[in-house]
Amino acid sequence: MSTTTPDTGHARADGPRTEAPALAPRPSWWARTGPADLTRRGAVVVVWALMVVAFGIASPHVFLTSGTLQIILGSHGELIFLCMALVCVFSVGEFDFSVASVMGLSGTATSVMYVTHGWPMVAAAAFGLALGIAAGALNAVIIVILGVDPIIATLGMATALVGVALWLSNLTTVNGLPFGYSDIATTHLAGLPLFFYYGVVLVVVVTYVLFATPLGKHMTFVGANSEVARLAGVNVNRIRFGAFMFSGLLSGLGGLLLAANIGGYDPVSSTASLLPALAATFLGTAIIVPGRFNPVGTWIAVFFLYTGIVGLQLLGLSGWISDFFFGASLVLAVTVSTLLRRRVATR
Amino acid sequence: MSTTTPDTGHARADGPRTEAPALAPRPSWWARTGPADLTRRGAVVVVWALMVVAFGIASPHVFLTSGTLQIILGSHGELIFLCMALVCVFSVGEFDFSVASVMGLSGTATSVMYVTHGWPMVAAAAFGLALGIAAGALNAVIIVILGVDPIIATLGMATALVGVALWLSNLTTVNGLPFGYSDIATTHLAGLPLFFYYGVVLVVVVTYVLFATPLGKHMTFVGANSEVARLAGVNVNRIRFGAFMFSGLLSGLGGLLLAANIGGYDPVSSTASLLPALAATFLGTAIIVPGRFNPVGTWIAVFFLYTGIVGLQLLGLSGWISDFFFGASLVLAVTVSTLLRRRVATR
Amino acid sequence: MAGLTKTFGRTTVLRDAHVDLVPGKIQALIGQNGSGKSTIVKVLSGFHRPDAGATLHRGGRSYDLPLSAHELDELGIAFVHQDLGLVDAASVVDNIRVGRFSRGRLTRRVDMRQERAAARRTLDRLGSSIDVDGPVGALSAADRAIVAIARAVQSLRAGDGVIVFDESTQSLPPEVLAGFYDTIRDLAADGTAILLVSHHLDEVMALSDSVTVLRDGRVVASAVATAQTSVRELTRLMLGVDPQVHPLREEVETTPADVVLTATGLTGRRLRGLDLQLRAGEVLGVTGATDSGHEELPYLLAGARPGRGTVACGGTTVSLAGAGSRALLDLGIALIPQGRTTAGLALGLTASDNVSLPRMRARNSRYRLSSGWQDEEARSVITEFGITPPRADLLMGAYSGGNQQKFLIGKWMVARPRVLVLHEPTQAVDVGARRDILRNLRRAAAAGAAVVVISIDEDDLAAVCDRVVVLAEGRPSRQLAAPFTAEDVLGTRVSALEKQS
Amino acid sequence: ATSASSNDPGVAAAQKVVDSRLGSQTFKADLPAIDQIAKAKDKKVLYTAISLKIPYFQNVLKTMQSAAGLAGVQVDGCDGNVTPANIAGCVTQAISQHYDAIVLDNIPVDLIGQGADALKGAGVQIISAEGESLPAADGVTYAGTGGPEMLQAAANWTIADSGGKANVLIVQQNDTPLQVKYVSQYMQPTFAKNCPNCKVQVISVTAAQLGNLGTQVSAALLKDPKIDYVVSEFDANVQYIVTGLQSSPRGKSVKLVGAIGDLAALQRVRSGQFQRADVLVSPSYAGWAITDQTLRVLVGAKTWDRLDTPFRTFDTSNIGDVTVAQDGIDGGAIVGGDTWSHVFRASWGLS
Ligand SMILES: Nc1ncnc2c1ncn2[C@@H]1O[C@H](COP(=O)(O)OP(=O)(O)OP(=O)(O)O)[C@@H](O)[C@H]1O
Ligand SMILES: Nc1ncnc2c1ncn2[C@@H]1O[C@H](COP(=O)(O)OP(=O)(O)OP(=O)(O)O)[C@@H](O)[C@H]1O
Ligand SMILES: [Mg+2]
Ligand SMILES: [Mg+2]
């Protein structure tokens, strides 16, 4: 089975071959990071800054306010959860199209169980989360154990799960989650909802796991060359299985929190989040750690994209331009990052 | 750059390693195709037959009529065009998320130019088609020449092009294409619209090109191992470039014909066709030539999926069940085909 | 070819190199890993664009490099690449004819009858009778090589043309080599000029008429007649220093001690109940003909492939049925697989990451990675094996094949395992690097490890092993105990092969 | 809405409309009788809705099936799936399966383009239930179910609640011409007429871009911090608007008004989460009304142009009087009980 790695140039040699003096002491991070390297890492951040300046000039009184920041940071908390799910799955060399549908399933199930069937809130939330994990496990069984291509399997699951969510909810939006529950997502702290802070905590945790624990290293090797990992005693299938389960868990959590945020859930709306999540995750590979799926880069990418969209909306431009901006900035950012990387590689 | 092949086991040796007798006369197709082989090739077709029988029993008076056949074969002509675009791109080892958006762009542009700007019909259609080809060429430049990952690039293009189509149409559905134009898609022949026959012709042409011409063989080599193809003197980049252009052309054609079929176009609805097209194309790899993207298998897959959906609808079941059926049958069919292939391979 | 200069960024890897080929003669191209052999081939085949001034002279005319695939075809220059370049799922005829399919004028259709006939003709010319319609994936290694050669020679006119073999013998089992050499000699006898890139100096001595030696991108010896030189002289030209010649077995003494590993009833697809005992401080060699089961042994011993039998080591006995790599690693058995890019190393990650992977769990707490030891390990491998460039933070893909191989072996030796199992440890490695690697194996044994080398390279086996077991039909057939020579190993294997068939 | 303190005539007019729709609604109509209902027996009708994933349309379909069943007429459903290609598929189905009539619910006839002529050519009658009440024209019979009146009611509620000083943001859906017309020809004129001091802004959204509606609303609130009402043309969009209000610094003080509602809208009004008012009709009523018009078309009886739809407005003042549940909406209890089915049956001579 081909592993269909959504790798963005991972395997390419990165630095020029130099005649370094024998066993030179390892240079500091800063010294190793020349200006070209900074351009590579920071290209998108620079574009972000330019964008902020442009919007600031275009509408200084509206754009350059704390309100704008609140909107950009405070909306779309669920995207961070989906993106982190994708980062985990992509890191081990797999693919997952079903994150948004899993989110929808969990959110819907929680709302339906509480509102329609009168379960206690805690039981309803636990049920929603359990469904998310179960969906992740089903993905894992199909892909890791039965060996089906992950793109096809999760594409099918994505559609099937929307069906299940619609069935659970009897096709309707369900509303009326208790205020106390909504508070877990919407309570404001320093002007931003808790949902935002959960995202920050999640990004920190995933970054830590991926870059500072043995598990993260093992995941990286599974993604880069799973046979090497297997022969080094890494339980490759457990790691792949775990990545899908974790993806289900995070997507489910995102669903629970989104339901809390809205006070209910509409099962069909979830699929709209897939594309932004994929876009941000791919865009993240052009930031901070170029060529690798990385949580912080992805986090920045989410806010990069929404800075553009909110800025355009504040200028009164919406509708077609937001789609265009979304797509074009993804293509542009990744193209620039690919070209920069290539230049460094052949210097 | 990793090529991100959406290959479904392509590179795997297809048969068991046998000590073939030297220079035995070439066995007939039938003799080479053992019963296990037939199961492999035909599993989905058998499921299809069972499905038809089941629906026939459930609602004999409605389902088992020529009308049903007309609905199944006569609607969704545009899907065949999108699927063939995908087959071409997948065959050379690339990916294309943007087919549905390109279709939408061409359909919208044609309608807008004729209806809103009063261009002659022929000019409007030519413009729509040219936009489709241009979009394909842009994909090709970004992916083949600049070396950007095809999944990311076409994902971005897919979104950006929806924006362009919305901008062209000023955000609404455009209607009022002339009758004469609509006739090119809707004229009936033996109970089925011309749109259906175009699809058949297209499938025949693509099959011929892929399996019987040098170009097709070269495409297969590029998809299986582009380095081998390059060393054998195949102009790999031209073939990859061509595949994206052709994809743009076919998607554009699909858009023109869909616009003719409807008499106008709604720019946002096009994206809804992406998932069915991907599903059918992947499902097609489980039919006729297992493990390879193939036009006839894909054609069968489209009608397999729509038989299920129309059948369910005729039974009065709709809403959630169609999504569920769509997703579940994709997962199931590909799982069964993967398992069968694996069994044959290890026998 | 003349004036070949190739610069990658700031690194110049070819400096005004030149190669002269004569019709009907076999010319060998040798050099250390990274000396530029493949780069010459890639410049000629059009994969790399050389710096200005590179030209090809042929038939009294000059051409600027690079040439297009079409021009190469016109000029009758063809290539057989290291991994043969075959697509397994495609048929023999497609693999041979790819890039040259004829096309009907109106139908644009491939005339398969004609294609089959063309493929057949070429195969007949090479004296092969394989079925042209079967998939290449179903062919034996020898037949696969024939298909690759057939693709290269088909458009050469007899008595003309050039074929370049870049380490093509790498993927061939020894028993088919003789036939392969015959094929090459026949081609040369027809008047074709042949360029042969190889690390096997014996092969070079036996096959070539002349030798060109590269060092650091420069030609240090051009078309030296093979008859007038020796392995020792060639090695000196390649390395730039006098090679050490006395056997490693004597250079690094070891003293076999207690039995550390007992394997009983190893059974897999080919092995049939093999028993094996290893002593600390011993280097054991295992070899055999294709399909005799020796290729399977390392992976069974390390739990990397499903099999049956038991392995006892360090007081613990593990049953192989259902056991994975992990269980045998825990016993202290380290496997160095063949295929360094597919199973040995992750080329996209740094040297330090690659080296430290096996001890990631043991040397860290579960929740925190401490990084100091990783670089330390990588640096110790770099010093131990003399790897260049000596940088732990470089991506593995930026090292040459020989250096990668050193990292692969070093990554396992750093942990001082009880048992070291190696499969073809010197594949695609130059003489200098080979000696470094083999010396380190001896040192590991001297330090108390048990070392098993599974290889078909009789020179390696003769150089390092205290004992060699030859397998036939999945069981031990003969044994050799030191001292023995490469010829002894070869002879024993041939007689085992005869017994097998 | 008890802000009648103002003696502004526009506000008074608005308040009057609001008051008339807050209580139980009774359906009254003077329907011409259908003489030969037996002629409809064994005819087949294809009900094509913009999306059968929306429960309202599912319930209309169910009602139609049982109501038409009384006259021996078979009704099947076809899901338009919000895509013209799917809708075209439904048209194909109507023609090839020889239906006698097709009902297009919330699908403008324009959207099927040449399909309309193909249907006419095949002798399939077209009934448009897109919500507007129009006289039959061009071979199409209309069966309006009160959409324009409901949106006017939502506007009037806003005017009355604000005492004639509302600063309103209307969220308009842009997928079909009808959706645009609802706002420009019914809602905005209501504000213009009854509330000259109201400030009205419109933002538009398409189905594919609902994901960005939240930030679009936040941005609008940021640009004009005085906005105090957001009116959504369709309740289906309210949840996206809610996310926008959540992330907006002053979102909590904005009042949300929705129309053409569903259960979730009533739940929000009851719990007081953002939404303060909703206007809603029972799908049972719509199902009967559409069936009635369809039967008239099938037997060639006189059709009607407009009926007085029994829709009801809900806000904090009356939400406590009703049981908020799906069957209340489906059966009509929520608007004051089923006061229509016997009226229609009587006109068919089947009471
Ligand atoms: N794409 C590249 N970018 C930068 N440097 C390269 C590239 N390819 C080759 N080199 C450099 O060229 C040198 C020569 O490489 P080449 O592959 O020709 O060596 P070789 O003689 O074939 O070695 P081996 O014996 O391992 O096959 C390498 O050491 C490397 O430094
Ligand atoms: N970005 C890079 N910077 C420096 N050197 C590079 C880079 N990329 C590749 N190389 C060099 O290019 C060479 C790869 O070329 P090639 O594929 O011919 O390998 P090789 O050395 O011939 O190995 P093998 O013996 O397995 O064929 C390596 O020797 C490596 O040192
Ligand atoms: Mg080489
Ligand atoms: Mg090499």
Side-chain angles (χ1 to χ4, degrees):
Chain A
M1 139 130 297
S2 84
T3 39
T4 326
T5 322
D7 181 333
T8 57
H10 215 163
R12 170 175 289 167
D14 221 347
R17 210 172 162 179
T18 56
E19 268 91 75
L23 275 192
R26 195 165 183 227
S28 73
W29 185 84
W30 177 250
R32 278 181 295 137
T33 322
D37 210 39
L38 267 192
T39 332
R40 239 159 22 106
R41 285 164 198 272
V44 176
V45 179
V46 171
V47 176
W48 191 9
L50 289 179
M51 195 159 73
V52 170
V53 170
F55 283 130
I57 292 170
S59 68
H61 301 302
V62 187
F63 188 79
L64 295 179
T65 60
S66 66
T68 308
L69 197 67
Q70 283 178 13
I71 296 174
I72 293 170
L73 299 180
S75 50
H76 298 285
E78 77 282 3
L79 263 193
I80 304 285
F81 282 75
L82 295 188
C83 286
M84 290 306 114
L86 290 176
V87 164
C88 290
V89 175
F90 288 171
S91 288
V92 301
E94 302 287 332
F95 207 96
D96 195 347
F97 267 125
S98 70
V99 286
S101 302
V102 174
M103 174 181 88
L105 179 64
S106 290
T108 307
T110 304
S111 310
V112 167
M113 288 304 142
Y114 177 82
V115 177
T116 316
H117 299 288
W119 289 22
M121 192 61 236
V122 176
F127 179 71
L129 201 57
L131 276 189
I133 299 173
L138 186 54
N139 272 332
V141 168
I142 296 171
I143 294 161
V144 179
I145 299 186
L146 301 181
V148 176
D149 187 284
I151 290 196
I152 310 183
T154 57
L155 189 66
M157 281 288 282
T159 323
L161 291 182
V162 170
V164 174
L166 283 170
W167 169 73
L168 274 177
S169 71
N170 209 358
L171 296 186
T172 181
T173 309
V174 184
N175 245 289
L177 291 179
F179 281 112
Y181 180 63
S182 282
D183 287 347
I184 66 165
T186 59
T187 305
H188 275 58
L189 213 76
L192 290 170
L194 284 182
F195 209 169
F196 168 76
Y197 296 103
Y198 297 148
V200 173
V201 171
L202 181 62
V203 168
V204 170
V205 169
V206 176
T207 307
Y208 183 83
V209 170
L210 273 183
F211 290 85
T213 67
L215 176 62
K217 274 274 162 349
H218 288 169
M219 288 173 71
T220 310
F221 268 89
V222 170
N225 189 331
S226 63
E227 187 61 11
V228 170
R230 190 176 73 88
L231 292 180
V234 176
N235 195 333
V236 171
N237 277 356
R238 193 158 75 195
I239 284 188
R240 293 168 69 211
F241 207 104
F244 280 109
M245 296 263 292
F246 192 65
S247 163
L249 169 73
L250 286 189
S251 307
L253 258 181
L256 293 196
L257 289 170
L258 184 57
N261 197 32
I262 301 175
Y265 211 90
D266 170 11
V268 291
S269 68
S270 58
T271 43
S273 309
L274 177 62
L275 197 119
L278 283 174
T281 311
F282 285 134
L283 190 50
T285 63
I287 312 175
I288 308 289
V289 194
R292 261 188 75 177
F293 293 103
N294 72 91
V296 178
T298 304
W299 189 82
I300 293 178
V302 168
F303 297 117
F304 171 89
L305 290 173
Y306 280 97
T307 302
I309 287 181
V310 170
L312 290 169
Q313 282 172 344
L314 285 177
L315 290 180
L317 299 168
S318 63
W320 69 272
I321 204 157
S322 63
D323 276 320
F324 182 76
F325 168 79
F326 224 96
S329 57
L330 176 62
V331 172
L332 224 86
V334 178
T335 304
V336 169
S337 145
T338 306
L339 293 181
L340 280 174
R341 214 158 63 222
R342 192 196 275 180
R343 232 182 74 204
V344 171
T346 56
R347 220 177 18 155
Chain B
M1 151 124 290
S2 84
T3 39
T4 327
T5 323
D7 181 334
T8 57
H10 213 165
R12 169 179 291 167
D14 222 346
R17 211 170 157 165
T18 53
E19 267 90 76
L23 267 194
R26 194 169 182 225
S28 74
W29 185 84
W30 178 251
R32 279 181 296 139
T33 322
D37 210 40
L38 267 192
T39 331
R40 234 155 31 100
R41 284 164 198 272
V44 176
V45 179
V46 172
V47 177
W48 189 10
L50 289 177
M51 194 160 74
V52 170
V53 170
F55 284 130
I57 293 171
S59 69
H61 301 303
V62 187
F63 189 79
L64 295 180
T65 59
S66 66
T68 307
L69 197 66
Q70 283 177 12
I71 298 168
I72 294 171
L73 298 180
S75 45
H76 299 285
E78 78 284 0
L79 262 193
I80 305 285
F81 282 75
L82 295 188
C83 286
M84 289 308 113
L86 290 176
V87 165
C88 290
V89 175
F90 289 171
S91 288
V92 301
E94 302 288 331
F95 207 95
D96 195 347
F97 267 125
S98 69
V99 285
S101 301
V102 174
M103 174 181 89
L105 179 64
S106 290
T108 306
T110 305
S111 310
V112 168
M113 288 305 142
Y114 178 81
V115 177
T116 315
H117 298 288
W119 290 22
M121 192 61 236
V122 177
F127 179 69
L129 200 57
L131 276 188
I133 298 173
L138 187 53
N139 272 332
V141 168
I142 296 171
I143 295 161
V144 179
I145 298 186
L146 301 181
V148 176
D149 188 284
I151 291 195
I152 309 183
T154 58
L155 188 68
M157 281 289 281
T159 321
L161 292 182
V162 169
V164 175
L166 281 170
W167 168 70
L168 277 176
S169 72
N170 214 355
L171 298 189
T172 50
T173 310
V174 184
N175 254 293
L177 292 180
F179 283 104
Y181 181 61
S182 282
D183 287 346
I184 65 166
T186 58
T187 306
H188 275 58
L189 212 74
L192 290 170
L194 284 182
F195 209 168
F196 168 77
Y197 297 102
Y198 297 149
V200 173
V201 171
L202 181 62
V203 167
V204 170
V205 169
V206 176
T207 307
Y208 181 83
V209 170
L210 272 184
F211 290 86
T213 67
L215 176 63
K217 291 197 180 262
H218 290 167
M219 288 172 72
T220 312
F221 269 84
V222 171
N225 189 334
S226 63
E227 186 56 18
V228 170
R230 200 189 57 76
L231 292 174
V234 176
N235 193 334
V236 171
N237 278 355
R238 193 157 75 196
I239 284 189
R240 292 168 70 211
F241 207 103
F244 281 108
M245 296 263 292
F246 193 64
S247 163
L249 169 72
L250 286 190
S251 306
L253 258 181
L256 293 196
L257 289 170
L258 184 58
N261 198 30
I262 300 172
Y265 212 90
D266 170 16
V268 293
S269 68
S270 57
T271 44
S273 308
L274 177 62
L275 198 120
L278 283 173
T281 310
F282 284 134
L283 191 50
T285 63
I287 312 174
I288 308 288
V289 193
R292 259 190 78 176
F293 293 102
N294 71 92
V296 179
T298 304
W299 189 82
I300 293 178
V302 168
F303 297 116
F304 171 87
L305 291 173
Y306 280 96
T307 303
I309 287 181
V310 170
L312 290 168
Q313 231 168 45
L314 290 177
L315 288 180
L317 299 166
S318 60
W320 70 273
I321 205 157
S322 64
D323 277 323
F324 183 75
F325 168 82
F326 223 97
S329 58
L330 176 62
V331 173
L332 224 86
V334 178
T335 305
V336 168
S337 144
T338 306
L339 293 181
L340 281 174
R341 211 158 65 220
R342 193 196 274 181
R343 235 180 72 204
V344 171
T346 57
R347 219 175 18 159
Chain C
M1 266 187 292
L4 290 180
T5 302
K6 173 68 191 167
T7 314
F8 290 108
R10 282 187 235 125
T11 333
T12 302
V13 301
L14 278 184
R15 293 160 216 262
D16 200 22
H18 59 96
V19 177
D20 306 305
L21 297 177
V22 183
K25 297 288 181 206
I26 302 173
Q27 160 120 252
L29 178 63
I30 63 171
Q32 267 187 286
N33 288 123
S35 58
K37 304 179 299 292
S38 296
T39 307
I40 288 189
V41 175
K42 287 172 183 172
V43 164
L44 185 58
S45 72
F47 183 74
H48 286 322
R49 173 176 291 278
D51 302 355
T55 46
L56 175 81
H57 306 282
R58 177 158 161 72
R61 287 188 53 194
S62 299
Y63 307 86
D64 283 335
L65 292 172
L67 298 169
S68 71
H70 183 69
E71 288 167 317
L72 287 169
D73 209 33
E74 295 268 285
L75 289 171
I77 303 175
F79 301 84
V80 177
H81 285 270
Q82 189 163 339
D83 59 0
L84 303 183
L86 302 174
V87 170
D88 283 353
S91 66
V92 170
V93 51
D94 283 358
N95 265 292
I96 292 178
R97 300 290 298 164
V98 61
R100 293 194 171 71
F101 291 111
S102 59
R103 130 180 350 154
R105 204 173 311 138
L106 243 175
T107 58
R108 319 287 291 172
R109 193 183 147 86
V110 182
D111 182 350
M112 280 315 286
R113 255 209 345 248
Q114 206 179 314
E115 297 299 326
R116 263 184 223 113
R120 186 74 271 152
R121 262 199 312 279
T122 314
L123 287 172
D124 287 345
R125 201 168 125 199
L126 296 171
S128 167
S129 59
I130 46 181
D131 174 17
V132 294
D133 287 309
V136 160
L139 296 179
S140 69
D143 287 343
R144 294 166 62 87
I146 294 286
V147 173
I149 297 173
R151 181 195 290 163
V153 303
Q154 59 184 334
S155 57
L156 302 188
R157 292 166 293 273
D160 194 20
V162 177
I163 302 189
V164 180
F165 292 90
D166 187 6
E167 298 187 47
S168 308
T169 52
Q170 204 82 78
S171 41
L172 293 180
E175 58 268 25
V176 307
L177 278 181
F180 182 77
Y181 294 156
D182 287 343
T183 310
I184 294 181
R185 285 197 193 97
D186 289 348
L187 285 170
D190 282 349
T192 305
I194 288 174
L195 181 65
L196 183 78
V197 179
S198 177
H199 282 301
H200 283 268
L201 296 184
D202 296 337
E203 177 177 292
V204 168
M205 293 304 291
L207 202 55
S208 68
D209 299 304
S210 62
V211 185
T212 292
V213 184
L214 274 183
R215 187 162 77 228
D216 292 336
R218 280 199 187 83
V219 174
V220 291
S222 176
V224 187
T226 311
Q228 258 114 66
T229 184
S230 65
V231 169
R232 180 151 184 204
E233 171 65 10
L234 289 178
T235 310
R236 195 189 57 75
L237 283 170
M238 279 166 64
L239 303 182
V241 293
D242 252 332
Q244 292 142 312
V245 282
H246 46 270
L248 281 167
R249 208 165 40 226
E250 286 143 35
E251 187 185 319
V252 186
E253 291 282 351
T254 66
T255 37
D258 301 340
V259 170
V260 289
L261 178 139
T262 311
T264 347
L266 291 183
T267 306
R269 288 174 85 131
R270 306 245 183 243
L271 283 181
R272 303 196 198 139
L274 178 75
D275 297 335
L276 207 63
Q277 281 204 332
L278 293 179
R279 291 171 185 283
E282 176 191 46
V283 181
L284 169 69
V286 179
T287 187
T290 312
D291 292 349
S292 68
H294 69 276
E295 306 99 327
E296 201 180 20
L297 176 63
Y299 305 98
L300 281 186
L301 258 185
R305 268 184 217 160
R308 281 174 287 125
T310 58
V311 175
C313 184
T316 320
T317 305
V318 168
S319 164
L320 288 182
S325 301
R326 197 59 180 281
L328 289 128
L329 271 173
D330 289 345
L331 294 186
I333 302 176
L335 167 70
I336 289 141
Q338 189 186 27
R340 74 180 162 254
T341 58
T342 53
L345 298 165
L347 298 188
L349 301 177
T350 63
S352 127
D353 278 343
N354 270 288
V355 168
S356 58
L357 173 68
R359 288 159 301 284
M360 201 52 77
R361 208 184 320 263
R363 297 208 49 175
N364 287 298
S365 95
R366 214 182 148 130
Y367 305 106
R368 170 117 188 82
L369 213 60
S370 43
S371 57
W373 66 272
Q374 298 183 42
D375 286 345
E376 210 172 280
E377 280 195 346
R379 280 205 296 272
S380 85
V381 171
I382 288 169
T383 340
E384 198 85 4
F385 285 84
I387 289 171
T388 53
R391 283 177 53 187
D393 60 337
L394 214 56
L395 293 190
M396 193 49 82
Y399 287 96
S400 76
N403 284 315
Q404 287 174 4
Q405 188 70 15
K406 291 176 178 177
F407 269 120
L408 172 58
I409 293 171
K411 121 175 162 182
W412 289 104
M413 283 188 37
V414 163
R416 313 210 166 282
R418 280 203 190 91
V419 180
L420 205 50
V421 184
L422 303 104
H423 191 201
E424 304 294 355
T426 62
Q427 202 171 54
V429 152
D430 68 54
V431 278
R434 164 186 307 222
R435 200 161 173 95
D436 289 344
I437 287 169
L438 295 179
R439 183 183 303 113
N440 272 293
L441 294 186
R442 289 297 295 178
R443 285 196 192 138
V451 179
V452 199
V453 179
I454 293 94
S455 174
I456 51 172
D457 188 319
E458 60 277 359
D459 296 314
D460 283 5
L461 294 174
V464 291
C465 293
D466 301 306
R467 181 160 69 100
V468 170
V469 176
V470 183
L471 302 185
E473 299 187 308
R475 289 203 193 85
S477 149
R478 280 156 217 249
Q479 228 193 87
L480 282 171
F484 48 79
T485 63
E487 284 71 43
D488 298 339
V489 177
L490 196 60
T492 318
R493 191 170 52 218
V494 169
S495 64
L497 181 65
E498 278 158 6
K499 185 186 150 197
Q500 183 170 324
S501 53
Chain D
T2 47
S3 48
S5 56
S6 158
N7 44 18
D8 183 328
V11 174
Q15 188 68 53
K16 195 161 159 257
V17 175
V18 171
D19 289 342
S20 74
R21 290 293 181 174
L22 281 173
S24 287
Q25 300 294 307
T26 311
F27 176 66
K28 291 192 213 73
D30 197 12
L31 288 166
I34 304 180
D35 305 327
Q36 297 174 288
I37 193 79
K39 266 179 30 193
K41 196 162 166 10
D42 292 333
K43 299 219 170 188
K44 292 197 309 179
V45 175
L46 186 66
Y47 174 77
T48 303
I50 186 84
S51 166
L52 281 181
K53 291 204 180 71
I54 297 172
Y56 170 85
F57 296 109
Q58 285 275 359
N59 288 318
V60 171
L61 172 60
K62 268 189 225 138
T63 306
M64 284 185 70
Q65 282 169 332
S66 61
L70 299 175
V73 173
Q74 180 193 333
V75 179
D76 296 320
C78 188
D79 189 356
N81 225 344
V82 212
T83 45
N86 259 314
I87 295 166
C90 292
V91 170
T92 311
Q93 178 172 349
I95 296 170
S96 61
Q97 298 264 28
H98 309 295
Y99 280 89
D100 298 287
I102 183 169
V103 174
L104 299 171
D105 200 350
N106 251 275
I107 300 168
V109 178
D110 279 351
L111 208 66
I112 62 173
Q114 273 76 54
D117 297 284
L119 286 166
K120 287 173 207 160
V124 183
Q125 307 276 3
I126 305 171
I127 294 98
S128 166
E130 56 175 358
E132 271 192 308
S133 303
L134 298 170
D138 217 7
V140 180
T141 312
Y142 292 86
T145 49
E149 292 91 338
M150 287 160 77
L151 290 169
Q152 283 166 340
N156 279 320
W157 187 93
T158 310
I159 295 166
D161 188 66
S162 68
K165 297 187 290 286
N167 187 332
V168 186
L169 179 70
I170 298 177
V171 178
Q172 166 188 304
Q173 182 133 5
N174 239 18
D175 288 311
T176 68
L178 176 69
Q179 294 166 336
V180 178
K181 204 167 156 192
Y182 272 166
V183 172
S184 63
Q185 290 191 13
Y186 298 105
M187 271 178 132
Q188 283 177 310
T190 304
F191 279 110
K193 187 167 126 242
N194 287 346
C195 191
N197 293 328
C198 286
K199 186 179 173 200
V200 179
Q201 305 167 52
V202 180
I203 56 173
S204 53
V205 67
T206 60
Q209 298 180 305
L210 286 171
N212 287 334
L213 178 55
T215 51
Q216 207 175 338
V217 169
S218 317
L221 289 180
L222 198 63
K223 269 206 314 203
D224 184 354
K226 295 216 172 62
I227 290 173
D228 50 3
Y229 288 87
V230 175
V231 182
S232 175
E233 193 181 0
F234 297 104
D235 273 313
N237 294 345
V238 166
Q239 63 153 328
Y240 301 99
I241 298 173
V242 166
T243 61
L245 297 181
Q246 290 280 20
S247 62
S248 185
R250 16 175 318 279
K252 285 225 158 69
S253 58
V254 172
K255 293 180 178 176
L256 232 168
V257 180
I260 314 199
D262 53 20
L263 178 64
L266 295 188
Q267 287 164 339
R268 275 190 298 259
V269 172
R270 186 180 57 184
S271 65
Q273 280 170 311
F274 296 101
Q275 190 162 2
R276 303 303 160 84
D278 186 50
V279 186
L280 157 152
V281 68
S282 170
S284 161
Y285 164 76
W288 278 95
I290 297 168
T291 308
D292 178 75
Q293 190 78 313
T294 307
L295 291 178
R296 287 168 196 280
V297 171
L298 286 178
V299 303
K302 188 171 182 335
T303 57
W304 41 264
D305 289 347
R306 188 181 173 284
L307 296 177
D308 192 6
T309 305
F311 66 84
R312 187 172 178 181
T313 303
F314 293 93
D315 62 16
T316 41
S317 72
N318 66 348
I319 191 78
D321 307 344
V322 294
T323 315
V324 175
Q326 190 65 45
D327 26 334
I329 297 175
D330 295 346
I334 202 116
V335 298
D338 173 4
T339 53
W340 46 82
S341 63
H342 65 273
V343 178
F344 288 114
R345 273 211 305 267
S347 81
W348 305 348
L350 290 175
S351 61

